[in-house]
Amino acid sequence: MKRKAFLILSVISMVLGACGNAAAPSLPGEPTVSQSRPAVSEPTQDAPAESTIQPVADAPGGSTAQPAGDSDDRNPADPYAQASLFIDTIYAQNGANTIVSPLSLNLALGLVAEGASGQTAEELYAYLGGSNYREEASEYLQYAQNLTAKTDTGLPESPYTFRYQLANSVWVNENRKLQDSFREAVQTYYQAQAQAVDFKTDTDKTAKKINAWCEEKTNGLIPEIVTPNMLSEDLATILINSLYFESPWQDSWNCREHDFTNFAGDSDTREMLFAGTGTYYENDRATAFAQNYYNGFRFIGILPKEEGEFTISDLDLQSLLASETKEYDVRACMPKLNFETSTMSKSINRILQAQGVNLTFDRNHSELDGMIEMEPGEVTYIDDILQKCKIELDENGTRAAAVTAIFTKCESAAIEKPKEVKEVYLDRPFAFLIYDSLYDKILFVGKVIE
């Protein structure tokens, strides 16, 4: 997986914003497409019947990944499947406009992988695409840094400029010490600086310090990722990636009022963006258009062919993007966007576990033994992963940001003692209950003597 794979993840971070709760009919006779969640067009038929989205639970469906033990039989690190499962799961929980960043998550996991060994490392690197992820991440971070430094959009009147900023940091409990090899690796490959902070007493000050870093790195779009009550003495580290993207459009949009129709068939008139573009995509599930930013970045708006609720997994992003053609003049329309998404606690944990990343969350068997110095019997593991994303998009350009924070804890592993065996053979007179354990109700009580 070379730089192209990182570019795919960058584009997917932008593509997968779900706006509104609707897909409306397209303009008659034209290959008009819109952004993935909104569908904007002239209403030419009755409101569509809704279809039911498949629920995504602790082990979400729609993933091609298999448990870690079957890793040889799966296609590891498919960025399209991973991104689709990511947003489908978070959307199923939010039920509202949703945007996630697969790239920010992967770079944060890359920091974790630098402290992993054994099967824990194997699971992480299988998800990330290979054991050479650190070199690819380093190359891509330098690439992003060079892009921002050299780009001149030539648009002095635009409220947007081109900026693509990726940053990483490690916040370590002041009562713990990072291993020298870990500190050196995250600094060398991820440009991450480590800071010792107080997770026990002055949690307000520590939260403000971490949040100030996030606000600075996202140019104010994400001013907070932690709160004081998230910090505790048993935290070992917080590993953070931030991503900030800003660009004007290469080609302008026009604004005029137009109806947006939601899943229920309800329409409201709002100011929408209209433009012509020459890049078109189509598979058997969806149509799409691309509108260019600078330096090869694109906004790709995706319109499902079937009306009603849908999942990103069902749209088959890989075949859709592979269908790119410039044989058409495409009329595109979409709403302006301004929304943010925060993941729920443990949500990303479960998404990763459903794709074979398990041991790093196991407080007894995690092999994050290369991150901090530990006493014999202690285990460092991931307790939680949180992500916040925000997007602002209008006729002039786009700003979008993501922050992913991985919270690790260090505790003594539980000593698994063999359990004492008890036997209960109902081979003589006995009593029994039929019992509702949730509400503490005895439905039946009986006695058997023969």
Side-chain angles (χ1 to χ4, degrees), residues 13 86 99-109 165-169 171 210-226 238-245 340-343 348 385-391 400-407:
S13 298
F86 190 2
I99 181 170
V100 300
S101 177
L103 177 58
S104 178
L105 172 60
N106 283 13
L107 287 170
L109 287 173
Q165 299 168 343
L166 298 165
N168 298 292
S169 60
W171 307 82
I210 294 173
N211 290 332
W213 183 91
C214 295
E215 184 172 21
E216 176 190 355
K217 298 303 181 183
T218 62
N219 291 279
L221 282 190
I222 302 178
E224 180 182 278
I225 190 65
V226 300
I238 303 177
L239 312 172
I240 300 181
N241 167 267
S242 70
L243 184 161
Y244 179 77
F245 173 85
E340 61 186 70
T341 298
S342 298
T343 63
I348 299 178
I385 304 176
L386 300 177
Q387 186 179 95
K388 285 190 177 183
C389 296
K390 183 172 183 178
I391 185 169
V403 172
T404 304
I406 299 181
F407 299 76

Side-chain angles (χ1 to χ4, degrees), residues 12 15-18 36-37 56 82-93 98-100 102 311-313 317 351:
I12 288 174
V15 171
L16 294 183
S36 65
R37 180 55 52 180
V56 186
Q82 290 176 347
S84 298
L85 179 61
F86 190 2
I87 192 169
D88 286 341
T89 304
I90 302 305
Y91 170 78
Q93 295 170 349
T98 302
I99 181 170
V100 300
T311 66
I312 305 298
S313 298
L317 294 181
I351 293 169

Side-chain angles (χ1 to χ4, degrees), residues 86-200:
F86 190 2
I87 192 169
D88 286 341
T89 304
I90 302 305
Y91 170 78
Q93 295 170 349
N94 294 346
N97 294 348
T98 302
I99 181 170
V100 300
S101 177
L103 177 58
S104 178
L105 172 60
N106 283 13
L107 287 170
L109 287 173
L111 295 173
V112 176
E114 291 299 328
S117 65
Q119 188 177 343
T120 302
E122 291 177 10
E123 291 178 357
L124 286 166
Y125 282 121
Y127 182 85
L128 293 171
S131 58
N132 61 337
Y133 183 83
R134 50 156 53 171
E135 289 81 9
E136 294 159 3
S138 178
E139 179 185 352
Y140 190 73
L141 289 165
Q142 189 61 52
Y143 164 76
Q145 187 174 330
N146 293 341
L147 274 185
T148 298
K150 74 177 185 181
T151 299
D152 180 5
T153 60
L155 300 171
E157 303 300 322
S158 174
Y160 296 86
T161 187
F162 182 86
R163 284 192 284 183
Y164 186 37
Q165 299 168 343
L166 298 165
N168 298 292
S169 60
V170 176
W171 307 82
V172 60
N173 190 324
E174 63 183 5
N175 295 321
R176 296 284 183 173
K177 185 178 184 301
L178 291 179
Q179 294 191 28
D180 291 340
S181 58
F182 177 79
R183 182 189 297 272
E184 181 179 346
V186 297
Q187 183 172 352
T188 300
Y189 295 103
Y190 294 88
Q191 303 172 21
Q193 297 298 317
Q195 297 188 50
V197 288
D198 180 3
F199 287 150
K200 181 181 179 181

Side-chain angles (χ1 to χ4, degrees), residues 134-427:
R134 50 156 53 171
E135 289 81 9
E136 294 159 3
S138 178
E139 179 185 352
Y140 190 73
L141 289 165
Q142 189 61 52
Y143 164 76
Q145 187 174 330
N146 293 341
L147 274 185
T148 298
K150 74 177 185 181
T151 299
D152 180 5
T153 60
L155 300 171
E157 303 300 322
S158 174
Y160 296 86
T161 187
F162 182 86
R163 284 192 284 183
Y164 186 37
Q165 299 168 343
L166 298 165
N168 298 292
S169 60
V170 176
W171 307 82
V172 60
N173 190 324
E174 63 183 5
N175 295 321
R176 296 284 183 173
K177 185 178 184 301
L178 291 179
Q179 294 191 28
D180 291 340
S181 58
F182 177 79
R183 182 189 297 272
E184 181 179 346
V186 297
Q187 183 172 352
T188 300
Y189 295 103
Y190 294 88
Q191 303 172 21
Q193 297 298 317
Q195 297 188 50
V197 288
D198 180 3
F199 287 150
K200 181 181 179 181
T201 54
D202 199 350
T203 54
D204 286 339
K205 180 179 178 181
T206 299
K208 287 179 181 178
K209 190 172 185 179
I210 294 173
N211 290 332
W213 183 91
C214 295
E215 184 172 21
E216 176 190 355
K217 298 303 181 183
T218 62
N219 291 279
L221 282 190
I222 302 178
E224 180 182 278
I225 190 65
V226 300
T227 56
N229 63 354
M230 294 179 183
L231 308 179
S232 60
E233 183 180 10
D234 57 352
L235 273 181
T237 62
I238 303 177
L239 312 172
I240 300 181
N241 167 267
S242 70
L243 184 161
Y244 179 77
F245 173 85
E246 178 181 337
S247 180
W249 303 104
Q250 283 195 349
D251 299 305
S252 61
W253 294 83
N254 298 314
C255 297
R256 67 175 186 265
E257 289 191 343
H258 190 77
D259 286 347
F260 180 86
T261 305
N262 66 19
F263 284 138
D266 301 324
S267 298
D268 70 278
T269 301
R270 62 180 75 173
E271 190 173 54
M272 306 280 278
L273 308 180
F274 290 81
T277 178
T279 304
Y280 180 72
Y281 309 83
E282 183 173 3
N283 64 9
D284 60 350
R285 306 291 182 86
T287 58
F289 73 87
Q291 189 76 323
N292 291 331
Y293 300 112
Y294 282 80
N295 294 309
F297 292 87
R298 295 176 173 181
F299 178 92
I300 301 176
I302 305 170
L303 181 67
K305 288 186 175 180
E306 294 186 5
E307 298 171 355
E309 186 60 275
F310 63 92
T311 66
I312 305 298
S313 298
D314 286 341
L315 301 184
D316 189 1
L317 294 181
Q318 185 167 10
S319 71
L320 182 65
L321 297 189
S323 71
E324 177 181 340
T325 179
K326 298 186 182 297
E327 294 181 359
Y328 304 97
D329 289 327
V330 185
R331 296 180 184 180
C333 170
M334 67 176 178
K336 297 180 181 180
L337 305 176
N338 191 330
F339 67 90
E340 61 186 70
T341 298
S342 298
T343 63
M344 298 179 184
S345 177
K346 311 296 184 182
S347 296
I348 299 178
N349 297 31
R350 292 190 286 269
I351 293 169
L352 294 172
Q353 288 169 327
Q355 298 175 91
V357 182
N358 293 295
L359 280 177
T360 189
F361 300 103
D362 191 323
R363 65 179 61 196
N364 291 321
H365 303 106
S366 172
E367 297 160 296
L368 298 183
D369 46 18
M371 187 178 296
I372 62 171
E373 295 181 358
M374 297 183 292
E375 297 295 327
E378 287 187 322
V379 173
T380 301
Y381 64 95
I382 294 178
D383 179 60
D384 205 357
I385 304 176
L386 300 177
Q387 186 179 95
K388 285 190 177 183
C389 296
K390 183 172 183 178
I391 185 169
E392 298 175 351
L393 181 154
D394 61 24
E395 69 273 19
N396 296 306
T398 300
R399 295 184 182 93
V403 172
T404 304
I406 299 181
F407 299 76
T408 72
K409 288 187 175 182
C410 183
E411 299 175 351
S412 297
I415 300 175
E416 299 180 1
K417 297 180 179 179
K419 292 183 178 179
E420 181 182 356
V421 177
K422 297 286 188 179
E423 292 182 350
V424 181
Y425 290 179
L426 300 181
D427 55 1

